[in-house]
Amino acid sequence: MAFLNMEQHTWAFTFGILGNIISLMVFLSPLPTFYRVYRKKSTEGFQSTPYLVTLFSCLLWMYYAFLKSGSELLLTINAVGCVIESLYIAMYLVYAPKSARLLTAKLFIGLDVGLFGLIALVTMLASHGPLRVQVVGWICVAVALGVFAAPLSIIRLVIRTKSVEFMPFSLSFFLVLSAVIWFAYGALKKDIFVAMPNVLGFLFGVAQMALYMAYRNKKPATVVLVHEEMKLPEHVKEVAGGAKPQGGAPTEGRISCGAEVHPIDVLPDVADVEQAAAAADEDVIRDDQNMLRPEQPAVIKPDVAIVVQA
């Protein structure tokens, strides 16, 4: 019996070490994002909410590990997670615009300081011994389920856009692997609060991987702006002596909204030019200095049609 207990403890320790390694890789996965933030000195619209929620979760699990004996491996990885997430949030506060900094600071004070402090204070005063461990454990389970359910919005986005751009396969794979390892650790330690939320994490991770395999070769839906080409009014120059214009280069053309000039390859006849010149003479006005100025044509704004390509 003692040998079985020792073997079970050895397997639990092994899965705990593997869980620490995999979870560390998950914590470090946003490093390329923050390297780009540092290089460009801008957050580029990235949100700080995932890092604030992850920090809150790590604080709760670290508090639970303090209360539950034999949870040293759970304590170590969540302490490291608190440090990493705090660094992410600090860098975000440095490079984010003012409005985003204010929102992040409010969420940090309200969630990671206020709510966590309230939970710790209430559980310390209102419960004792095993009851306190159970209360904190169920709170950790509720928060973990919320964190694992967060990718539902990403799943909806993938289905709607038919694009896996926002759902990297590597992240989904490591989340599934982490869920399996921590479930095994919780089962071997007979800790229901560790094992239970990782079942849901495993299911959501598998669903993400299945969606990735289904939509990885699909053409994503994109929005394309189509500018309607319009023909601007033509200006006819006077031809002295009724002769054709010198040179083969035309002076007028069809201009699109993209400022592309398409030359006319065939020169007009002399009669057509004279008729157009006569018509132009009727549209001009004489100013005080006896100079001729053509009337300004009305400015027509091109229409813009939005076409969604499936």
Side-chain angles (χ1 to χ4, degrees):
M1 190 69 176
F3 176 76
L4 292 177
N5 291 334
M6 183 180 300
E7 185 179 6
Q8 186 177 12
H9 177 75
T10 302
W11 278 108
F13 180 79
T14 302
F15 278 107
I17 294 295
L18 291 175
N20 274 249
I21 296 173
I22 298 299
S23 296
L24 180 61
M25 296 176 67
V26 174
F27 284 139
L28 295 177
S29 60
L31 273 180
T33 298
F34 280 92
Y35 175 72
R36 185 168 62 182
V37 169
Y38 170 75
R39 185 164 48 87
K40 295 188 175 182
K41 308 299 188 224
S42 172
T43 55
E44 299 182 322
F46 291 116
Q47 301 296 321
S48 61
T49 307
Y51 313 107
L52 293 167
V53 173
T54 304
L55 176 59
F56 178 65
S57 177
C58 288
L59 288 171
L60 284 175
W61 282 111
M62 194 167 64
Y63 179 42
Y64 172 80
F66 270 119
L67 300 176
K68 182 71 178 291
S69 60
S71 300
E72 291 80 9
L73 293 176
L74 197 62
L75 176 63
T76 54
I77 186 58
N78 284 284
V80 172
C82 286
V83 174
I84 294 175
E85 299 301 324
S86 298
L87 291 176
Y88 290 156
I89 295 170
M91 183 175 290
Y92 186 90
L93 290 173
V94 171
Y95 295 110
K98 184 177 180 180
S99 58
R101 285 202 305 267
L102 291 176
L103 179 61
T104 301
K106 291 178 182 179
L107 290 175
F108 176 78
I109 295 174
L111 182 66
D112 299 321
V113 177
L115 185 56
F116 173 73
L118 180 63
I119 291 174
L121 181 62
V122 170
T123 53
M124 291 293 291
L125 296 178
S127 58
H128 303 277
L131 178 60
R132 181 186 301 163
V133 175
Q134 291 185 3
V135 171
V136 176
W138 283 115
I139 294 174
C140 290
V141 168
V143 173
L145 292 177
V147 171
F148 281 130
L152 284 176
S153 60
I154 302 297
I155 292 175
R156 288 196 300 268
L157 182 63
V158 170
I159 295 174
R160 188 171 66 250
T161 63
K162 297 181 175 61
S163 172
V164 294
E165 178 184 0
F166 305 100
M167 192 179 65
F169 180 82
S170 58
L171 181 58
S172 301
F173 173 76
F174 281 113
L175 287 176
V176 170
L177 190 59
S178 176
V180 171
I181 291 175
W182 283 113
F183 171 80
Y185 173 83
L188 291 171
K189 297 284 289 186
K190 298 180 181 179
D191 192 335
I192 188 176
F193 302 117
V194 176
M196 182 187 302
N198 284 288
V199 175
L200 186 62
F202 172 78
L203 295 177
F204 278 127
V206 170
Q208 291 182 55
M209 293 173 64
L211 279 177
Y212 184 91
M213 299 302 294
Y215 290 106
R216 61 175 179 168
N217 294 324
K218 295 286 185 179
K219 183 179 180 181
T222 56
V223 177
V224 179
L225 294 180
V226 179
H227 296 268
E228 180 182 346
E229 193 178 67
M230 59 177 296
K231 186 174 182 180
L232 299 181
E234 298 179 352
H235 303 280
V236 181
K237 294 184 178 180
E238 284 188 348
V239 181
K244 291 184 180 180
Q246 297 296 326
T251 60
E252 61 217 21
R254 183 183 179 93
I255 303 176
S256 67
C257 298
E260 297 178 355
V261 179
H262 304 275
I264 300 175
D265 296 330
V266 181
L267 292 176
D269 296 334
V270 176
D272 295 337
V273 173
E274 291 178 351
Q275 292 179 0
D281 290 338
E282 297 177 357
D283 295 334
V284 298
I285 58 174
R286 186 179 302 274
D287 57 6
D288 296 337
Q289 298 177 355
N290 296 325
M291 297 180 62
L292 296 177
R293 295 181 181 176
E295 292 183 351
Q296 297 295 329
V299 178
I300 304 176
K301 296 183 178 180
D303 294 332
V304 178
I306 299 179
V307 179
V308 179
Q309 296 181 350

